[in-house]
Amino acid sequence: MEHQQATTESAAAEQTHPAFSVGIDLGTTHCVMSFLDTRNEDAQVEVMPIPQLTAPGTVETRSQLGSFLYQPHEHEMDPSSRVLPWSTEPKALVGAIARNLGSKTPIRLIASAKSWLCHGGVNRRDAFLPAGSPEEVEKVSPLRATELYLEHLTAAWNHAHPNDPLQEQDVTITVPASFDPAARDLTAEAARNVGLVHLTLLEEPQAALYNWIDNSGDKWREQVVVGDIVLVVDIGGGTTDLSLVEVTEEDGNLTLNRIAVGEHILLGGDNMDLALAYRLKMKLAQEGKELQPWQVQAMTHACRDAKEALLNDAELQSVPIVVPSRGSKLLGATLKTELTQQEVLQTLVDGFFPKVAITEHPVQRNRGALTQMGLPYAQDAGITRHIAAFLSKQANALLASGDAAPAQEYNPFAGMPGMGGDAPSADFIKPTAILFNGGVLKSTLLANRLEETIGEWLIDADAELPKRLTGTDLDLAVASGASYYGSVRRGQGVRIRGGIASSYYVGIESAMPAIPGMAPPMEALCVAPFGMEEGSSVDVPSQEFGLIIGQPVNFQFFGSTVRRDDLAGTHLDYWAPEELEELPEIQVTLPVSEGRREGEVVPVTLASRVTELGTLYLEAIAADNGQKWHVEFDVREDAKNDANEKQ
C-alpha cells in the first residue's frame, strides 16, 4: 500500500512538472514568445508563431505580436471581422491590426504601455491611455494594456497546446535591466492577473546573452576569456538598455557576473521614426503645405516601415509616403512625399549615433516650467553620448567586483608629461567584447557606426578593440534567451550572476529643532546592498527607529548604481547628487494591532528581503514584542495594499 501510494505521488509529480520552459519578451513595440520542451534533452529553443488580426476579418500568423492596442469606435468594426481562432469576441484589438488601424487614427491607439508601466510620475492603475485622446475613446491603464497583451499570448499558446496550458508552464518574462522593483512588481502582477503563477523575471540584456550562449554551444568559452568585460547594448523600439557582464573563473570554470546596468533611457526606434516624420513635415512646409499634429503622428508609422526598408537595402533610393487626410476640403488632393536614403542616413546616423569623444555626455537643457504629463523621454537623442556616460559612470565597477581585468591596468603616470602620455586619459570602464541586441541594431549601418565609435574610445585609451559577439536574431534573441534560461534554472548551462542592479536606501527624517521654512534634512539607510541575490534576506544593523502606525505616513526610497560597497545598515547623512536617485515615495497607513494605539511611535529594527522576482520589501520588527510590518517596495498606488501586519 505504501509502495502504491509512493508511485501515485511520483506520477502526480511528473504530471505537475512543467512540460515547457516558455520565454516572453514584453517589448515596447513587439512581444515575442519562445519555448523549450523540457521533456526532450535534445530539444532546441523554438519561436512560437502568434496568430493575430492584421486587418478586419483577416488572421495571419507572425513571429511577433505588436505591442499596440486599438480602441475602435463602437460602430467601426463588425463583430464577425474580429474573430480569432480561439474566440469570436476577443476582449481587445492588439497586434498588427492595432498598429495598422492606429496609423490612420492615432488618437485611438495605445503604444508604449511598457514605458508608462515604469513611469513613477503617474498612477499605473488609472485608465488614461491613449494619453491625450478625446473623452469618447475608451481608456485603459498601463497595467491593463500589459494584461491584454499577455492574454492574447496566453490564448494563442493554449490554442496551439491544449494539453499543456500556459498557466501550468514554467514562464520567464523579460524586463529591462533598468526596471526598478516597482516596475518589476507591476509586470509580475499583470502576469499573475492572467493566471501565470510559475513565473520568473529576467533582465533583457541577460536574456540576449543567454541566447548567444545557447546559439554558440560550448564554443562560447572560446570567444571570451577570464577578465573580459562584455558590453550588452539593447536598442529597441522604445528604450536603450545597457549592461556590463564580467567573465570570471570559479573552480576552473568560466562564469559570468553582471556588474552594472544603465539608467532607464526612453530612447529608441520610436524616436527615430518621429524624427523622420518631423523632417518630412519641414520639407512639406517649405513647399507651403502645413500638417496638423495628428497627421505627423500618423505619418510616423509610415516612416517606420520606410526606415526599415531603406536601412536594409542600400540600393533603394527612396520610399513614397502618403500623408493621411480627413477630407478633400482640408488638404485638397491626397498629399504625398518621399523619404530618401540620404535623409534617413543624415537623420539617424548623425543624429542618433554621432561620433563623439568618451567625455561627451548627454546634454541636459533647462526644462519649461509647465510641461505635458507625458513620458520622461531622454532629452538628448545621441545614443553614443548615453553609452559614453554609462561607461564613465561605471569606471570603478570592475574594482568593486573584486577582480581586475588585464586589459584595464592602471597607469599612475597617465596624463603626466614625459611619464607615459601628454594627454589625460578619460576614466571609463573599457569593454573587451560587445553584444548588440534590439531591432534598431539590425541595421548594419547603425551597428557599424556604434561599433566604430566605441572602438575609437578604446584606441584613444590605448586599449584593444572589442570583439563583436554575433550569431543571434536581434528581434527574437531576448525571448529565446528567456526560455533557455528555464533550463539554466534547472541546473543545465552557465548562469549569469548579479543579484539586484542597484543599492537601495530608505530615507530617515533627521531629528532636529524646527527651523522656519526648512524641512528636516533627510538621511539614507542602506537596506539592500548592490548584488543582493533574489530570494535572500538581510537584517539591517542599525539603531532602533520610530515607526508611526495608524496614520498616513510616507516612505522615501533611493537607489544607486554606483555606491557598490555600501553594506546593509550603512548610514548616509550626505551624498553627491549623482550618487543617489530619489525614487517615488510610498504613502501608507500601517495597521494598528491589538495593544497599540493610533499614532503610536513603535521602536523597531529593520530587515529586508529580495523576492525571487527581484522586488524588494522592507520589514519593520517591533523591539518590544517582535510584531512585524511589511512595506513592499512596489510603489503601489493603492495604499491599502502597500503594507500588512504579520503577527
Side-chain angles (χ1 to χ4, degrees), residues 195-215:
L196 305 181
V197 292
H198 306 291
L199 181 67
T200 302
L201 298 184
L202 176 66
E203 294 174 9
E204 289 165 4
Q206 287 195 39
L209 195 54
Y210 276 126
N211 179 243
W212 173 75
I213 292 171
D214 183 32
N215 287 342

Side-chain angles (χ1 to χ4, degrees), residues 1-334:
M1 185 70 176
E2 291 179 358
H3 175 73
Q4 183 179 359
Q5 182 178 0
T7 303
T8 303
E9 291 176 352
S10 175
E14 289 183 6
Q15 289 177 352
T16 58
H17 180 74
F20 294 95
S21 170
V22 180
I24 297 176
D25 174 11
L26 277 180
T28 309
T29 53
H30 288 95
C31 300
V32 182
M33 177 182 279
S34 71
F35 62 94
L36 181 66
D37 190 336
T38 63
R39 300 163 298 187
N40 182 359
E41 293 183 1
D42 299 323
Q44 301 293 315
V45 172
E46 298 181 51
V47 174
M48 166 80 183
I50 305 171
Q52 57 196 286
L53 287 164
T54 55
T58 303
V59 175
E60 296 181 31
T61 297
R62 298 186 175 178
S63 60
Q64 297 175 302
L65 176 74
S67 302
F68 299 94
L69 170 62
Y70 185 76
Q71 300 292 71
H73 186 275
E74 59 179 335
H75 302 302
E76 186 172 352
M77 286 182 63
D78 185 86
S80 62
S81 62
R82 303 187 186 191
V83 175
L84 286 166
W86 52 83
S87 174
T88 56
E89 298 181 4
K91 295 180 181 178
L93 293 176
V94 301
I97 189 172
R99 175 176 167 178
N100 295 338
L101 294 176
S103 66
K104 301 179 182 66
T105 315
I107 60 172
R108 293 184 172 275
L109 180 67
I110 295 173
S112 301
K114 179 179 181 178
S115 298
W116 286 106
L117 195 70
C118 67
H119 183 14
V122 299
N123 187 328
R124 277 72 60 95
R125 288 181 174 76
D126 279 353
F128 61 85
L129 297 178
S133 60
E135 289 185 8
E136 66 266 18
V137 178
E138 183 183 354
K139 309 294 192 297
V140 301
S141 69
L143 180 65
R144 181 57 183 154
T146 306
E147 290 173 3
L148 290 170
Y149 301 148
L150 286 170
E151 284 181 2
H152 186 103
L153 294 173
T154 301
W157 172 275
N158 291 346
H159 179 72
H161 304 85
N163 297 325
D164 297 294
L166 190 62
Q167 292 85 347
E168 297 177 4
Q169 307 313 308
D170 185 1
V171 177
T172 299
I173 295 179
T174 60
V175 295
S178 51
F179 257 22
D180 64 22
R184 289 171 184 261
D185 188 85
L186 287 162
T187 304
E189 181 179 343
R192 288 193 296 266
N193 288 346
V194 300
L196 305 181
V197 292
H198 306 291
L199 181 67
T200 302
L201 298 184
L202 176 66
E203 294 174 9
E204 289 165 4
Q206 287 195 39
L209 195 54
Y210 276 126
N211 179 243
W212 173 75
I213 292 171
D214 183 32
N215 287 342
S216 302
D218 290 335
K219 293 184 178 179
W220 75 269
R221 293 178 174 85
E222 301 171 8
Q223 299 184 54
V224 293
V225 297
V226 173
D228 272 340
I229 303 295
V230 182
L231 170 64
V232 184
V233 181
D234 185 351
I235 307 176
T239 59
T240 294
D241 209 7
L242 307 171
S243 284
L244 288 168
V245 178
E246 181 186 12
V247 182
T248 58
E249 187 176 27
E250 186 175 297
D251 299 328
N253 296 316
L254 289 183
T255 59
L256 298 171
N257 185 31
R258 193 263 289 118
I259 58 174
V261 301
E263 298 174 356
H264 196 66
I265 307 170
L266 290 184
L267 177 61
D270 290 349
N271 303 69
M272 300 177 188
D273 303 332
L274 190 60
L276 293 171
Y278 270 92
R279 178 157 185 154
L280 293 182
K281 177 182 184 293
M282 290 186 289
K283 184 164 70 171
L284 288 167
Q286 291 173 351
E287 302 172 4
K289 302 166 183 174
E290 294 292 335
L291 300 184
Q292 295 185 25
W294 73 268
Q295 290 175 299
V296 178
Q297 191 177 0
M299 195 165 59
T300 302
H301 298 280
C303 285
R304 178 188 294 120
D305 296 331
K307 172 197 70 179
E308 293 172 357
L310 290 166
L311 286 176
N312 294 326
D313 186 354
E315 296 182 0
L316 188 63
Q317 294 303 308
S318 66
V319 173
I321 301 289
V322 177
V323 182
S325 65
R326 288 178 177 158
S328 58
K329 292 181 181 179
L330 182 65
L331 287 169
T334 302

Side-chain angles (χ1 to χ4, degrees), residues 300-454:
T300 302
H301 298 280
C303 285
R304 178 188 294 120
D305 296 331
K307 172 197 70 179
E308 293 172 357
L310 290 166
L311 286 176
N312 294 326
D313 186 354
E315 296 182 0
L316 188 63
Q317 294 303 308
S318 66
V319 173
I321 301 289
V322 177
V323 182
S325 65
R326 288 178 177 158
S328 58
K329 292 181 181 179
L330 182 65
L331 287 169
T334 302
L335 196 58
K336 294 182 180 180
T337 184
E338 65 175 8
L339 186 65
T340 68
Q341 179 87 239
Q342 184 180 12
E343 288 169 336
V344 169
L345 298 185
Q346 289 177 344
T347 304
L348 302 191
V349 178
D350 297 330
F352 289 88
F353 296 91
K355 281 201 171 184
V356 299
I358 187 67
T359 53
E360 293 184 52
H361 297 171
V363 177
Q364 297 295 323
R365 57 177 171 78
N366 289 336
R367 304 291 297 270
L370 296 176
T371 181
Q372 291 184 333
M373 293 303 293
L375 290 169
Y377 291 108
Q379 290 187 33
D380 193 321
I383 292 174
T384 43
R385 282 190 284 268
H386 287 280
I387 297 175
F390 169 65
L391 295 177
S392 299
K393 186 176 183 179
Q394 300 299 337
N396 297 320
L398 197 61
L399 298 176
S401 73
D403 295 298
Q408 315 233 140
E409 294 177 0
Y410 171 63
N411 177 6
F413 305 110
M416 298 175 61
M419 301 294 287
D422 294 331
S425 62
D427 189 18
F428 68 102
I429 191 167
K430 302 167 183 67
T432 58
I434 305 176
L435 178 67
F436 288 155
N437 191 61
V440 169
L441 293 176
K442 286 170 61 179
S443 163
T444 303
L445 187 71
L446 299 182
N448 288 345
R449 164 59 76 94
L450 183 52
E451 185 178 17
E452 289 169 8
T453 305
I454 296 173

Side-chain angles (χ1 to χ4, degrees), residues 437-495:
N437 191 61
V440 169
L441 293 176
K442 286 170 61 179
S443 163
T444 303
L445 187 71
L446 299 182
N448 288 345
R449 164 59 76 94
L450 183 52
E451 185 178 17
E452 289 169 8
T453 305
I454 296 173
E456 289 177 4
W457 298 340
L458 294 168
I459 291 173
D460 291 342
D462 292 328
E464 293 184 4
L465 286 174
K467 294 164 285 191
R468 176 105 162 254
L469 307 181
T470 59
T472 61
D473 185 316
L474 276 64
D475 280 329
L476 310 177
V478 167
S480 299
S483 53
Y484 170 76
Y485 177 65
S487 63
V488 172
R489 291 179 64 236
R490 291 190 299 274
Q492 302 167 5
V494 64
R495 185 165 190 164

